[in-house]
Amino acid sequence: HATDDPAILKEVADYYASSQQIKEAIPLYLRVLELQPDDANAREKLATGFVLTNQRAKAVEMLEEIIRQHPEKYQPYDLLAQVYDDQARAFQRENKSEEAKAAFSKAAANYEQSLLINPEHAITYVRLAELLLGPVKNAERAVTLLTDARRHFPDAPEMAYYMGVALREAKHPQQAVAAFEE
């Protein structure tokens, strides 16, 4: 009954989203954005809905729009990086190595942007380190990243572990052993 009331539509969409009925939530978020094109919260939830329903192209488009409107928020960069990472892994499974490499690079760039905005998000360091040590194959960059991560999270054992791996991959065996001992 509230087809033109964005507040009600958003509440119903939120209900559907929270109850795992994503396909029902998406059209409602789209309608909210028709009525209130500047509603960043609805745009983020719609992008998340696209991610959860494997509509990667729509998710990328929506997240890039959110970033254009709100470049100061780290969450859209994180989510966009995850979408690119998923896309890259799909390309790998299809033996499309060039497309996979480009998507992994985009994922890493978005994680880096997220960390510039919010360096207090530990999981972003871990995800970026995994990319740099795995598909991106830039161990020196991983060492630099993890040095920064350890300053922010000195008590996190995963940072010491990843630092050991990064140092080993960067051909610094003595330092790697010390990091693993920690």
Side-chain angles (χ1 to χ4, degrees):
H1 296 293
T3 57
D4 291 333
D5 186 337
I8 302 282
L9 290 168
K10 195 170 171 183
E11 294 242 356
V12 174
D14 287 348
Y15 164 76
Y16 281 131
S18 67
S19 62
Q20 306 301 314
Q21 299 176 66
I22 306 301
K23 288 181 180 164
E24 289 79 3
I26 288 174
L28 295 173
Y29 286 129
L30 286 168
R31 180 69 181 135
V32 169
L33 289 173
E34 285 175 24
L35 299 169
Q36 291 181 321
D38 296 332
D39 188 333
N41 184 266
R43 198 171 292 281
E44 284 182 39
K45 289 178 179 180
L46 181 59
T48 302
F50 286 145
V51 169
L52 293 173
T53 57
N54 288 321
Q55 298 179 60
R56 288 189 194 110
K58 288 181 179 181
V60 167
E61 180 183 324
M62 189 65 58
L63 289 165
E64 287 176 345
E65 179 62 28
I66 293 168
I67 289 168
R68 274 192 291 282
Q69 291 178 359
H70 299 281
E72 75 284 357
K73 295 177 76 176
Y74 76 92
Q75 297 93 333
Y77 289 103
D78 268 357
L79 192 52
L80 185 55
Q82 291 171 33
V83 171
Y84 280 131
D85 191 1
D86 289 344
Q87 189 174 43
R89 293 179 195 286
F91 284 140
Q92 274 185 327
R93 286 188 295 276
E94 297 167 6
N95 293 321
K96 296 180 178 177
S97 60
E98 288 304 310
E99 292 93 333
K101 185 177 179 179
F104 279 128
S105 292
K106 288 179 182 178
N110 279 285
Y111 280 135
E112 287 177 350
Q113 187 61 39
S114 174
L115 287 172
L116 286 174
I117 296 166
N118 181 15
E120 300 303 319
H121 202 231
I123 190 68
T124 304
Y125 281 104
V126 171
R127 288 178 179 154
L128 179 55
E130 288 173 343
L131 279 179
L132 293 171
L133 292 169
V136 175
K137 296 188 186 335
N138 188 342
E140 291 296 336
R141 173 71 184 109
V143 169
T144 304
L145 169 79
L146 290 162
T147 300
D148 186 44
R150 293 189 70 198
R151 274 196 303 276
H152 289 282
F153 306 99
D155 298 327
E158 62 267 38
M159 299 305 173
Y161 169 77
Y162 280 110
M163 177 61 94
V165 173
L167 289 165
R168 183 193 69 209
E169 294 299 313
K171 310 291 186 236
H172 302 293
Q174 279 12 30
Q175 293 169 314
V177 169
F180 281 127
E181 285 176 348
E182 284 182 47

